[in-house]
Amino acid sequence: PLHVAAIMGDAGVAGFLLSSGADPDVRDDLNGTPLMLAAWRGHGTVAKLLADAGAEVDAVDQDGDTPLCLAVQEGHAGVSAMLLDAGADASHRNGSGYVPLHAAAQEGFCDIARQLLEHGAEPDSCAPQGQTPLMLAAWNGHADLCRILLEHGAHADMRDGRRSTALHHAALRGHADCAALLLEHGAPAGCTDAQGWTPLLLAAQEGNAGCAAVLLEHGAQADATAPGSWTALHAAARSGSVELAGMLL
């Protein structure tokens, strides 16, 4: 019954059950606790009742997720704040090797990212393939999230498993605002990934003229070559971007 009250957000029933001796950490068939369900659904009042009744804030479900992980994944800032204040681990890695800050960065949840960082989350935490929160934010075009991470000490020159930086991700996806922020915080404009590609070459390949312009303004070399003597101009021609080709000539 407590699981049902939690997922429905029924604080009256949850409070009655708890006062009648219900175990706040009782598990369902999926190894989930009432607090996990309340956090996942964003029911802050019920989540607070459960936490105050002694529910384990860092209990782990079958996927390795804690209540905080679930709240962050769904963007429930009020619940995540309550859980962090109750002592939840801001750096817990789930079964896939991701920490809550990865989810916040990927989805662009700025308020939650600030909460996590203020409660000790490592801004450069690496996922299994080496992605940092900054890389995920840059890939998804969340410039405000990039700024928050950089202001909290994230390094713009970190490399993932393919030797790509956040700037490579921003350039490939055409997020010029993210690229500009990264360059202003020391990202090297001419760095190469494991395949020998620079951010400019990636931007040109995708016809991302805005990103290319930002990179050129920050000193990226227009004549840098990828393996096979492929230049940014070759890539621009293949992408069909007349604007970009004009920048490179």
Side-chain angles (χ1 to χ4, degrees):
L2 190 55
H3 284 94
V4 176
I7 201 167
M8 297 301 294
D10 194 325
V13 171
F16 171 77
L17 291 168
L18 289 167
S19 66
S20 299
D23 180 2
D25 286 321
V26 62
R27 298 278 181 162
D28 62 16
D29 292 342
L30 299 177
N31 206 35
T33 65
L35 182 56
M36 291 174 190
L37 296 178
W40 172 56
R41 293 297 291 269
H43 298 313
T45 302
V46 175
K48 182 72 163 57
L49 278 172
L50 291 161
D52 289 346
E56 174 55 56
V57 293
D58 285 328
V60 176
D61 68 10
Q62 64 180 6
D63 297 317
D65 284 318
T66 64
L68 179 62
C69 294
L70 297 169
V72 171
Q73 289 164 17
E74 298 300 320
H76 299 310
V79 177
S80 63
M82 183 278 294
L83 290 168
L84 288 165
D85 288 342
D89 182 3
S91 300
H92 172 81
R93 289 190 181 273
N94 65 14
S96 299
Y98 292 87
V99 299
L101 190 57
H102 287 121
Q106 180 165 309
E107 300 299 330
F109 297 144
C110 292
D111 289 344
I112 293 177
R114 287 193 188 91
Q115 294 169 7
L116 293 166
L117 290 162
E118 289 166 3
H119 282 81
E122 170 54 53
D124 286 329
S125 294
C126 291
Q129 295 182 342
Q131 310 100 314
T132 65
L134 185 60
M135 292 173 192
L136 294 172
W139 174 264
N140 288 286
H142 301 310
D144 288 341
L145 206 301
C146 287
R147 187 184 303 279
I148 290 167
L149 290 165
L150 290 164
E151 289 174 349
H152 282 82
H155 291 85
D157 57 353
M158 291 279 289
R159 304 273 188 155
D160 65 16
R162 297 181 178 180
R163 301 290 296 162
S164 295
T165 65
L167 186 57
H168 283 98
H169 292 289
L172 182 61
R173 297 275 285 184
H175 301 308
D177 50 354
C178 294
L181 270 172
L182 293 164
L183 289 160
E184 290 165 7
H185 284 80
C191 57
T192 56
D193 64 14
Q195 302 300 316
W197 286 71
T198 66
L200 180 59
L201 284 162
L202 292 173
Q205 173 185 265
E206 299 300 318
N208 296 327
C211 261
V214 169
L215 289 160
L216 290 166
E217 288 169 5
H218 284 81
Q221 293 184 334
D223 58 354
T225 59
S229 299
W230 191 262
T231 67
L233 187 56
H234 286 106
R238 183 170 182 177
S239 73
S241 175
V242 175
E243 179 187 5
L244 183 49
M247 291 180 194
L248 295 165
L249 287 171

